[in-house]
């Protein structure tokens, strides 16, 4: 039997005191932080970690069969650190570095502290991450580890939670156990449902989850809930715990105005007195996980599909590429938000259905799930329309702080999608993905470069965005061509070039058309395929500025944050940079009507070149 | 009695045939579009509009007491247009322009067609818009009009729906009636719950909504559901209708593979034969709304709070400004996502609680609600941490296509927030808001300019983003100073300036410190407050380039898409532009430690100036 014994409970109570002690001294020393939000979940987490439920090799935090604990309420980081201090992996000296520059113990958890699963602190993201970690255990690695997620009550108003709740039931994630810390108070007052734990139970159970309601400060009830959750089959469990914010410190218990505030130094002694004697030498141990092997992930050899065609959409080439590279990258997992027949993720799904997860129209959860999968060593490729990736910008942003490895694929980029109109046009996706530290942004123009760059993306550790185009485009590269992240291709060059056009994706073909037209008039231009929008090929641009003077960028994207600004950001003052981009509200219409309307077609390029020559 | 009579039903059946006819001929003529998704909701919408329920002055679509109909499933636009064709406001000639360049009838509805409430087509947004329109009726204008929202089943997996569902119950929106068209099939196959309408009922009713399940093709059941919904008090209603995708056209009814596809011309006749004889001269009329006056919105005079202090955070000045300008802009409504004590929206809330709506931690729904309020003539100011506005990028993006008027306010911008760490730091918000057509981005540096610019934002019709800073900053402007959208302030200038520093917000103060330090060494620099990041003051930058040579931009934001690229995008090749920005993953730490770490402090500016001088 695990947990629940009287002796163990006595120990747990002592451990809870020690955890509270660490929470209080560390936050008071830091002068900021969230002690009250940490104190409400002390019993819930102490019982989980030290009651025999949580199985984790503390000397090997990355061990494949460790249970996983995601702090979705990331502001309770003092609790997270205090638990690991109680477990002995953080010294008392270190816990006093909380929130100091250079400390592993940041204000909200980040993977700088290796017992953190993912950066949290933007609320409503941890449950999706837990879904990804659980999916990995149940369907990919086929390991018995459990995933625990500590949730705050305030964050339950985030829609992303309900996306995750739906998907967790859909995939029958009985290895996912969530703990909802209903401490009633949000940042500025009572939450929507206050202490009405039945309101949570009704809603969550309506989505097919197992629910248990408990007093979150009663070890007997807590242990019983964990024991129950570990036996539930076929569905995830939510333990809904009524708790008291600030529990254990009488001056702040259940009081408004104490969110995100450390106790001042002169109140610390009184608070510590409330907690009572602590025993720093108490025996505490976290249970060991069973030794297991992950499912091998080996795949039978299969034939790849060579792209030998005159014309193909880059989105279709993406689907083919996924299949072709899977044998080389068996950690690939493919997710799509109910548009796999448009993004062509379905080509992979049809060939490897076990490695494809339908995420339905819930982009936030899709990205969170991908982050969870990546945290377990997978290489998730997630796709939807480029426009709809904006739905998950907060998750994308946060993933950048998790040192993760997600490949984002946005199809239907730009006005060139045509009749469906602006709601479906990705026109800000490059800006979004560029504005992330260390991100890579790839925008291929033909099927061959797409295939090559999808492979480069898989091989590159880190977040990569690949932008694909709806319509078929001519294949312009030979299959022997190499492409590098950070590279470019100078496709037209002569000693007599009057200007350089930098383009990528659909507009590259417009640039090539403009080249042909201008050639007839004996005007030479240089054409560069800037397929790597970030990092952008600074040298090629410098060379072109040196040799041809003016640069013209042309992109099927808004003018702000896109290809033009990427090029101009590295351009020197040697020559001017002119930016052709989408600057008018797009309408429904035929693709080429819209390229003309937005002045990003060959016609606009020719006009700009002639304008420059006339100067 | 309204609706439901046998004679009326006969008429409704004839009208439904006419609507189906318009759907089919218009999409086949367009060669694309979503007839199958339109056909499933024909009876639901025909009964609503022509069964006596929907009250609308068709000659005055903006009339204040018109009922409102939001097509959340925007891809059913052929149905929307066909209904209005049946109502006589679109001719048969016009409906055949569907999806053609220049037509009012775009692929997904936009306000170019005046019977559209908002641009839809990115799923899961219409319900939030409906919440805003209903809030307006119930709490602000106090008008009896009803708001109807047509929802698709696929989009119910979007978390934003559940955000809206929660808030609609919280605000007891009994004037909100939603119709869920459960046609079972999504874009690429069956939805998560298929035809299990009980699954929807269980989940939605658990959130306190009234629910009615019906056969969505049976006029008797439909009429009865509307009659019931109109009598429900104290809560919103969801009519959950089981329908058949493609209903009425036997070759596509309930068949996979017909999402988003027009019938080819050679199949049209067969489809029209399925529908049977139509009567284009059938009598059809939409009921008239009652004549009403809106609540006046007049407010008693009150004293404004002058900002007379040496130092104040711009976020606090924002709260004060809202109160100060409310008498001049009585259409202001303030929304916040549970952080009003951090954004200082609470200053307004305390003074005018009736015009403040707590939106809890659900940013997507907050923006959708704001759009609904704006569509009814209000000026919504919505605030949260800048970082968390990313949560609603898709709603922000879509709002740009609705010709709307929302003021977005993001507090806690940049690494200068300090210890809370990167999850709470807005570092991509400028990139996000710049990458929107016709948007305005304002980043004030002190309390006075904040107050002035909040007023300018209110007076400017269109989307405006205001970025505020957590920490107190010195007041540097006199209260008599004027600020314009598109303007800037050259704060330090001499004939001897060796370079120009362009900064805004927190870094402006660093630039002023650098000026003072360099002055001691007899080095003069120009300092420009680029408080209007978009549109940016091109003339001031040109003048500075001309007169001082090098430009240095410095910003507490990532390098991509921010102030630096905004400045460089308009800079000429006359002189180089150097960009100081956040380029390393931020940590927890003290604000000034982090400004130094990221090399955006006065120290970094001084270093860059000296580097330029050494060249």
């Amino acid at each position: 039997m695990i947990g629940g014994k009287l002796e163990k409970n006595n120990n747990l109570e002592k451990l809870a005191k020690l955890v509270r002690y660490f929470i209080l001294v560390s936050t008071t020393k830091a002068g900021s932080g969230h002690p009250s939000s940490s104190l409400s979940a002390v019993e819930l987490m102490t019982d989980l970690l030290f009651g025999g439920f949580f199985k984790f090799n503390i000397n090997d935090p990355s061990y494949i069969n460790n249970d996983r604990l995601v702090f979705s309420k990331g502001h309770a980081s003092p609790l997270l650190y205090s638990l690991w201090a109680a477990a002995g992996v953080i010294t008392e000296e270190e816990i006093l570095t909380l929130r100091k520059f250079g400390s592993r113990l940041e204000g909200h958890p980040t993977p700088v502290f290796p017992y953190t699963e993912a950066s949290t602190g933007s609320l409503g993201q941890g449950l999706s991450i837990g879904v990804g970690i659980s999916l990995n255990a149940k369907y990919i690695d086929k390991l018995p580890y459990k995933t625990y997620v500590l949730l705050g009550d305030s964050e339950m108003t985030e829609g992303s939670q309900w996306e995750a709740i739906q998907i967790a039931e859909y995939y029958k994630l009985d290895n996912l156990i969530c703990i909802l810390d209903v401490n009633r108070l949000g940042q500025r007052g009572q939450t929507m449902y206050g202490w009405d734990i039945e309101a949570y139970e009704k809603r969550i159970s309506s989505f097919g989850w197992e629910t248990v309601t408990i007093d979150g400060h009663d070890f007997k009830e807590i242990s019983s809930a964990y024991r129950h959750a570990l036996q539930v089959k076929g569905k995830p469990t939510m333990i809904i715990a009524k708790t008291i914010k600030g529990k254990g410190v009488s001056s702040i218990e259940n009081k408004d105005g104490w969110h995100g505030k450390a106790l001042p130094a002169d109140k610390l002694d009184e608070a510590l007195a409330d907690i009572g004697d602590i025993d720093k030498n108490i025996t505490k141990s976290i249970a060991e996980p069973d030794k297991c092997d992950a499912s091998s992930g080996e795949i039978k050899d299969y034939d790849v599909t060579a792209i030998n065609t005159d014309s193909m959409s880059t989105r279709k080439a993406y689907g083919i590429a996924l299949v072709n590279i899977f044998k080389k990258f068996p950690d690939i997992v493919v997710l799509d938000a109910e548009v796999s027949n448009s993004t062509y993720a379905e080509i992979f799904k049809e060939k490897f259905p076990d490695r494809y997860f339908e995420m339905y129209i819930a982009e936030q959860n899709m990205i969170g799930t991908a982050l969870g999968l990546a945290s377990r060593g997978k290489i998730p490729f997630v796709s939807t329309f480029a426009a709809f990736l904006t739905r998950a910008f907060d998750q994308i942003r946060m993933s950048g702080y998790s040192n993760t490895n997600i490949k984002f694929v946005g199809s239907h980029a730009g006005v060139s999608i045509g009749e469906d109109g602006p709601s479906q046009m990705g026109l800000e996706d490059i800006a979004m993905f560029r504005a992330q530290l260390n991100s890579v942004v790839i925008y291929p123009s033909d099927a061959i470069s797409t295939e090559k760059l999808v492979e480069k993306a898989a091989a590159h550790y880190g977040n990569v965005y690949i932008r694909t185009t709806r319509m078929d485009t001519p294949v312009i590269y030979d299959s022997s061509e190499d492409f590098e992240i950070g590279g470019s291709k100078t496709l037209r060059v002569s000693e007599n070039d009057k200007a350089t056009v930098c383009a990528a994706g659909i507009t590259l073909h417009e640039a090539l058309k403009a080249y042909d037209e201008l050639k007839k008039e004996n005007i030479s231009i240089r054409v560069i395929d800037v397929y790597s929008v970030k990092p952008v090929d600074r040298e090629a641009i410098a060379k072109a500025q040196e040799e041809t003077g003016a640069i013209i960028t042309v992109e099927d994207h808004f003018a702000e944050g896109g290809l033009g600004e990427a090029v101009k950001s590295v351009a020197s003052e040697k020559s001017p940079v002119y930016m052709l981009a989408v600057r008018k509200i797009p309408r429904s219409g035929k693709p080429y009507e819209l390229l003309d309307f937005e002045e990003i077609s060959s016609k606009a390029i020719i006009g700009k070149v002639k304008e420059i020559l006339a100067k």
Side-chain angles (χ1 to χ4, degrees), chain A residues 427-494:
Chain A
L427 289 165
E428 52 290 286
D429 51 320
I430 295 179
M432 177 171 77
F433 281 103
R434 283 185 68 235
Q436 194 184 349
L437 285 175
N438 308 318
S439 62
V440 168
V441 178
I442 296 296
Y443 184 17
S445 61
D446 83 340
I448 294 287
S449 55
T450 302
E451 189 191 16
K452 298 291 180 98
L453 286 162
V454 168
E455 179 166 349
K456 293 285 175 178
H460 172 86
Y461 189 91
N463 281 356
V464 178
Y465 175 56
I466 302 169
R467 186 182 215 225
T468 68
T469 299
R470 179 171 185 258
M471 69 161 98
D472 286 353
T473 46
V475 172
I476 57 172
Y477 289 110
D478 188 83
S479 63
S480 64
E481 195 88 37
D482 275 335
F483 296 83
E484 296 296 335
I485 289 172
S488 69
K489 295 283 175 193
T490 300
L491 297 180
R492 299 290 183 271
V493 60
S494 79

Side-chain angles (χ1 to χ4, degrees), chain A residues 23-85:
Chain A
I23 290 169
L24 292 173
V25 297
S26 63
T27 50
T28 293
K29 173 85 180 182
S32 65
H34 298 77
S36 62
S37 309
S38 295
L39 290 166
S40 60
V42 167
E43 281 79 12
L44 292 166
M45 291 295 102
T46 301
D47 199 349
L48 176 65
L49 262 74
F50 302 106
F53 302 106
F54 193 67
K55 296 179 174 174
F56 194 94
N57 182 340
I58 65 168
N59 299 314
D60 184 4
S62 65
Y63 180 60
I64 56 163
N65 197 35
N66 280 344
D67 286 347
R68 297 286 154 191
L69 171 59
V70 180
F71 260 52
S72 186
K73 51 176 290 187
H75 55 291
S77 61
L79 169 59
L80 178 71
Y81 305 139
S82 296
L83 290 164
W84 288 108

